[in-house]
């Protein structure tokens, strides 16, 4: 049986323990929702304050050149590229994950002579919404993806780690199978980048989120990856002036920029990009292999403790570590109320319809003692029945 002292020893022996000090974490809160919104890195407010008061406030529009605002999408993109195994000049930070997915799936389908986009039922719904109007969308069960890649499929577009289950696709196996069948591959890395090693180089395209494990703040810009050999043929379905070869020539005819810049559309969101750029500093000197090892240890400890408590919860996430991302999802008919009761007790997770109680374990700042304490509180909430109180039944706009 794992006790709290054993969890403390795991934390003391972990090389990443001190990284937690790089974040602002409220006292009395166990934050297990970094897979929805990452915690605030300590230095981000000062960086933003400098940009607002000195760059915007003092240097005004000159800052596009003086402080290289114009290059932020590429600079931030290259930093993210270092976290996903991408080479320089293949990643750009811009827009939202949904918009970027629409761009790359549209472009990918144009590179083939096929019409079918294959995805799975575990994908984040917004991904499916965005792809539904691009080609003929075929949705299968996650386990059936590889066997469903036939000669009609032009693009396989999947989320690497499922939002509602934490199930993780074998990226290399799916990519290899798609390429063998003559299809291109698009990966959504929103629930994996920053929580594990990702090697995206063999994939054709990828997108991802800046505000989850990358800690870029609410609504932070997303990113997209275009493998270098696809860039010349990439055609952005949304032509905008920042994707133009010479945006300040104001030519009435559109000529796409060279390289990754052709994936841009409108004016960069400078303050959001600066916050994301600053947030990425927390990864300096961090070994992503150690991040993944800590993630596995945290999620396994959580599962072991929940199972030992023998609670009326069904494990939705895979039990096998190699198939699980950095989150654990449990099912209960009163899942929403349980999450609200936990939040009142200082344990912040989230709920996903219809019945999923979801816990995200951001390896840079979640500790094993947090896991132990969270399960103790979860056990009390369920066994005491406190979640049945009327105040926990009222649904908020955001769950």
């Amino acid at each position: 049986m794992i006790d709290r002292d054993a969890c403390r020893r795991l934390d003391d022996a972990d090389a990443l323990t001190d990284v937690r000090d790089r974040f602002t974490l409220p006292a009395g809160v166990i934050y297990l929702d970094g897979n929805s919104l990452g915690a605030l890195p300590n230095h981000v407010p000062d960086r933003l304050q400098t940009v607002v008061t000195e760059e915007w406030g003092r240097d005004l529009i000159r800052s596009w050149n003086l402080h290289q605002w114009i290059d932020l999408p590429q600079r931030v993109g290259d930093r993210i590229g270092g976290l996903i195994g991408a080479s320089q000049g293949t990643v750009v930070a811009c827009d939202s994950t949904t918009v970027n997915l629409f761009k790359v799936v549209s472009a990918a389908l144009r590179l083939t002579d096929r019409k079918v986009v294959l995805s799975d039922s575990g994908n984040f719904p917004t991904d499916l919404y965005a792809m539904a109007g691009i080609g003929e969308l075929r949705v299968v069960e996650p386990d059936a993806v590889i066997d469903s890649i036939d000669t009609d499929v032009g693009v396989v577009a999947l989320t690497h780690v499922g939002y509602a289950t934490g199930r993780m696709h074998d990226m290399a196996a799916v990519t290899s199978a798609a390429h063998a069948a003559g299809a291109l591959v698009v990966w959504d890395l929103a629930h994996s980048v920053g929580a594990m090693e990702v090697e995206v180089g063999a994939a054709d395209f990828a997108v991802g989120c800046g505000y989850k494990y990358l800690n870029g703040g609410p609504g932070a810009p997303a990113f997209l990856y275009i493998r270098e050999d696809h860039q010349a043929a990439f055609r952005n379905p949304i032509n905008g002036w920042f994707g133009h070869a010479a945006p300040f020539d104001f030519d009435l005819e559109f000529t796409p920029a060279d390289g990754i810049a052709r994936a841009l559309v409108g004016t960069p969101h400078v303050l959001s990009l600066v916050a994301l750029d600053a947030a990425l500093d927390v990864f300096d000197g961090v070994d992503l292999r150690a991040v993944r090892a800590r993630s596995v240890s945290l999620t396994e400890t959580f599962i072991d403790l929940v199972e030992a408590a023998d609670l009326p919860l069904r494990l939705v996430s895979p039990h096998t570590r190699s198939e699980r991302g950095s989150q654990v999802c449990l099912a209960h008919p009163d899942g929403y109320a349980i999450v609200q009761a936990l939040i009142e007790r200082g344990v912040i997770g989230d709920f996903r319809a219809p019945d999923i109680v979801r816990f995200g374990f951001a390896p840079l700042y979640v500790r094993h003692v947090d896991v132990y304490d969270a399960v103790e509180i979860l056990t009390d909430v369920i066994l005491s029945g406190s979640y049945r109180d009327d105040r926990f039944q009222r649904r908020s706009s955001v769950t």
Side-chain angles (χ1 to χ4, degrees):
M1 178 63 183
I2 303 169
D3 60 20
R4 199 172 192 279
D5 286 340
C7 288
R8 185 181 292 108
R9 288 193 294 273
L10 286 171
D11 290 330
D12 291 343
D14 197 310
L16 292 178
T17 294
D18 291 342
V19 178
R20 176 182 167 88
D21 295 335
R22 301 178 187 181
F23 292 87
T24 298
L25 296 162
V29 170
I30 300 172
Y31 191 60
L32 303 181
D33 209 9
N35 53 323
S36 276
L37 176 65
L40 172 67
N42 294 330
H43 61 289
V44 168
D46 287 343
R47 174 76 180 278
L48 281 172
Q49 182 68 21
T50 297
V51 173
V52 169
T53 59
E54 298 181 17
E55 297 181 16
W56 177 16
R58 181 192 65 204
D59 296 330
L60 297 165
I61 201 166
R62 295 173 297 171
S63 292
W64 285 103
N65 292 316
L66 284 175
H67 302 290
Q68 294 83 47
W69 286 358
I70 194 73
D71 300 324
L72 275 167
Q74 288 90 337
R75 293 206 317 269
V76 177
D78 280 338
R79 297 189 73 186
I80 295 171
L83 301 177
I84 63 172
S87 57
Q88 295 282 296
T90 60
V91 180
V92 69
C94 60
D95 300 317
S96 68
T97 308
T98 307
V99 171
N100 286 338
L101 185 76
F102 178 83
K103 289 190 286 189
V104 298
V105 172
S106 297
L109 204 58
R110 289 183 61 177
L111 295 177
T112 76
D113 59 358
R114 305 176 185 181
K115 304 298 182 185
V116 174
V117 178
L118 178 68
S119 191
D120 72 54
S121 57
N123 209 342
F124 194 58
T126 192
D127 288 21
L128 301 179
Y129 305 158
M131 294 187 292
I134 297 173
E136 179 189 331
L137 180 60
R138 184 182 298 169
V139 180
V140 300
E141 291 298 311
D143 289 334
V145 167
I146 288 180
D147 290 340
S148 300
I149 306 173
D150 58 28
T151 54
D152 292 327
V153 174
V155 177
V156 178
L158 303 167
T159 294
H160 184 212
V161 173
Y163 81 102
T165 64
R167 182 191 187 279
M168 184 164 61
H169 278 291
D170 184 330
M171 183 181 289
V174 173
T175 300
S176 178
H179 288 169
L184 299 175
V185 183
V186 177
W187 287 103
D188 181 341
L189 306 176
H191 288 273
S192 46
V193 61
M196 64 185 69
E197 295 174 275
V198 177
E199 292 296 332
V200 78
D204 300 286
F205 304 93
V207 299
C209 176
Y211 55 79
K212 300 183 190 298
Y213 296 115
L214 296 186
N215 312 297
F223 65 89
L224 64 84
Y225 160 82
I226 306 173
R227 205 174 68 199
E228 190 169 9
D229 58 316
H230 288 313
Q231 291 183 7
F234 178 87
R235 292 294 178 266
N236 193 336
I238 313 172
N239 290 336
W241 72 315
F242 267 74
H244 195 284
F248 290 94
D249 283 357
F250 300 106
D251 193 331
L252 297 185
E253 296 295 324
F254 184 80
T255 303
D258 291 333
I260 193 66
R262 63 178 51 203
L264 296 173
V265 180
T267 306
H269 300 158
V270 171
L271 297 182
S272 295
L273 280 166
V274 165
L276 176 56
D277 186 34
L280 292 171
D281 291 349
V282 300
F283 290 95
D284 290 348
V286 170
D287 185 341
L288 290 174
R289 291 169 298 183
V291 171
R292 174 59 178 166
R294 185 179 179 92
S295 166
V296 169
S297 182
L298 290 168
T299 55
E300 286 194 340
T301 299
F302 183 83
I303 291 171
D304 289 347
L305 287 168
V306 168
E307 290 181 341
D310 196 25
L311 301 174
L313 298 163
R314 176 172 58 86
L315 179 65
V316 176
S317 299
H319 214 290
T320 303
R321 62 168 65 185
S322 62
E323 298 175 0
R324 186 178 63 243
S326 202
Q327 65 189 57
V328 177
C329 302
L330 307 167
H332 189 282
D334 294 308
Y336 179 82
I338 289 170
V339 168
Q340 301 314 303
L342 286 171
I343 291 172
E344 186 178 89
R345 296 279 298 273
V347 178
I348 301 180
D350 66 16
F351 169 78
R352 289 295 177 259
D355 59 357
I356 302 298
V357 181
R358 191 174 70 156
F359 301 96
F361 299 87
L364 298 188
Y365 52 81
V366 175
R367 303 168 299 184
H368 291 83
V369 291
D370 297 325
V371 170
Y372 185 88
D373 293 343
V375 175
E376 288 275 281
I377 294 170
L378 173 64
T379 300
D380 185 65
V381 162
I382 291 179
L383 296 185
S384 70
S386 63
Y387 66 88
R388 297 191 181 96
D389 191 285
D390 287 346
R391 69 184 185 280
F392 300 133
Q393 312 301 317
R394 293 187 291 272
R395 295 287 180 109
S396 299
S397 298
V398 178
T399 62

